[in-house]
Amino acid sequence: MSESASERPRRVALLLPGQGAQYRRMGTGLYTSQPVFAETMDEVFAAMGAAGPALRADWLAERPSVPVESAAWAQPLLFAVDVALGRLLMSWGIEPAALLGHSVGELAAAVLAGVFGLGDATALVLDRVSRVAAAPPGGMLAVAASRAEVEPFLAGDVVIGAVNAPRHTVLAGPREPLAETARQLDANGLSSRPVPSHTAFHSPVLAPCLAGADERVAATARRPPLITVYSGYTAAPLGAAEALDPGFWARQPMAPVLFWPALDALLSSGDHVLVEAGPGRGLGSIARRHPAVRRGASSVVTLLPSGPGDGGRDRLALRAAAEALHAEGFVRAGISCRRAAAS
C-alpha cells in the first residue's frame, strides 16, 4: 500500500518574502556572526559593482540615506537576505524539499534552486529596479478582505496585486487612485494599511517600464530547477519550460502574486516545516492561518525578528529557529544548535 500524505515524515520548505517585508538593518546582526550569511551578502554587493559598497553601507546604517520603501533599497537587499538565509540553512545540512518566494523572493528561490547563478540574478534585480524607477508614483495597499469583497472598489488602474490569504488581499496602482480606493474601503468598513513601497508592483502600470526586460533575461544563463519551486505566479511547481522562458521572469513585476494558492498547493503535497528565510515574520503569520498548520500537521519557523532592533535580537531569533529545527531532526549530526546560531 502506498504511503499517504499524512503518514509521510515532514519536510522543510522555505518561504522567501518580497517587497513589504523590508526594514532597516534587517539581518545585520548575522553579518558578523554567521560566515555563510556574510559571504553571500558580500557576493551580492560585489556583483552590484560600483553600487554595492553604497548599498552595503546603507544596509548597515542606523539611519539609511535611501528610504526603505524605495525599490532601489528594498529589492536588492530583500533578494540578498533571502538567498543568504537560504544558504545558511543549507550549510547546516538542511535540504529543503520545496521553495516558495513572494515577489522578488521568487528570484531568490530560483537562485537557491539553481535556475540562475547569484551574480546573474543580482544583475536581473538591478535591471528590474532601474526599469521601475521610471514608473509613475504608486504603491500597494493590504486589505483585510477577500478578493471578491475588494473587486467592486477597483478603478483607475487600481488592481489586485496579490492574494496572500483568503482575507488578505493586496491592491496596487498609481498613488492618487490608490488613495481614493483606500478612502472608499474605509467608508465601507473594510480596513486597509499601506504596504511599504513607493512602486505599484504587480500591476499593469509597470508594463511600459518592462518593455524589453525579456531580452535582458534571455541573455542570462537559465537552468531547470534542482529543487521544487512553487511559483507565486502560477500556484504550481515551476516547470523546466517556465524556468527557461525569459518572458516568465520579465513579467513578474507586473503580474499578480498568488501566494495563498501556491501555499495551498505546497501543503497539499504533504506536511512541511515552513521556514521563513527572510526578514520579518509576515509570510509565517499568513502560513499559520492555513488549515494544515492550524491542525498541527505542518508548522512554521521564522529566522529573524519582525522589525528592527540591535544585532542581539537577530542572533536570538536565529538561535531559537536552530533549536526548533534541531528538535525536528533537520540539523545534520555534528552541528549543535549552539554552534549553528553562535554569536
Side-chain angles (χ1 to χ4, degrees), residues 177-206:
L178 190 65
E180 177 58 28
T181 299
R183 287 189 285 269
Q184 292 183 18
L185 289 168
D186 182 66
N188 284 272
L190 295 177
S191 62
S192 65
R193 60 175 177 80
V195 173
S197 176
H198 291 162
T199 302
F201 281 109
H202 310 299
S203 75
V205 299
L206 297 186

Side-chain angles (χ1 to χ4, degrees), residues 116 124 127 131 207 209-220 222 244-254:
F116 296 110
L124 292 179
D127 181 71
R131 290 176 183 277
C209 306
L210 297 173
D214 55 341
E215 297 173 8
R216 180 65 183 81
V217 181
T220 304
R222 305 172 306 286
L244 299 176
D245 176 17
F248 175 77
W249 301 101
R251 290 188 297 271
Q252 288 192 358
M254 64 178 178

Side-chain angles (χ1 to χ4, degrees), residues 21-34 37-38 41 45 59-60 73 77-78 80-82 84-85 88 278-280 303-315 317-318:
Q22 76 276 6
Y23 53 84
R24 61 180 179 82
R25 293 183 56 81
M26 53 186 181
T28 55
L30 307 183
Y31 194 53
T32 57
S33 66
Q34 298 295 325
F37 180 88
M41 295 297 297
F45 294 134
W59 173 55
L60 295 172
W73 194 96
L77 286 175
L78 284 165
V81 171
D82 285 1
L85 287 173
L88 177 60
L303 300 185
L304 288 176
S306 56
D310 60 29
R313 291 186 68 216
D314 289 347
R315 293 187 286 273
L318 187 68

Side-chain angles (χ1 to χ4, degrees), residues 10 55 100 103 112 145 165 171 216 284 294 300 304 317 331:
R10 294 201 291 186
L55 185 62
L100 170 55
S103 191
L112 296 172
L171 306 185
R216 180 65 183 81
R294 295 177 65 181
V300 175
L304 288 176
V331 176

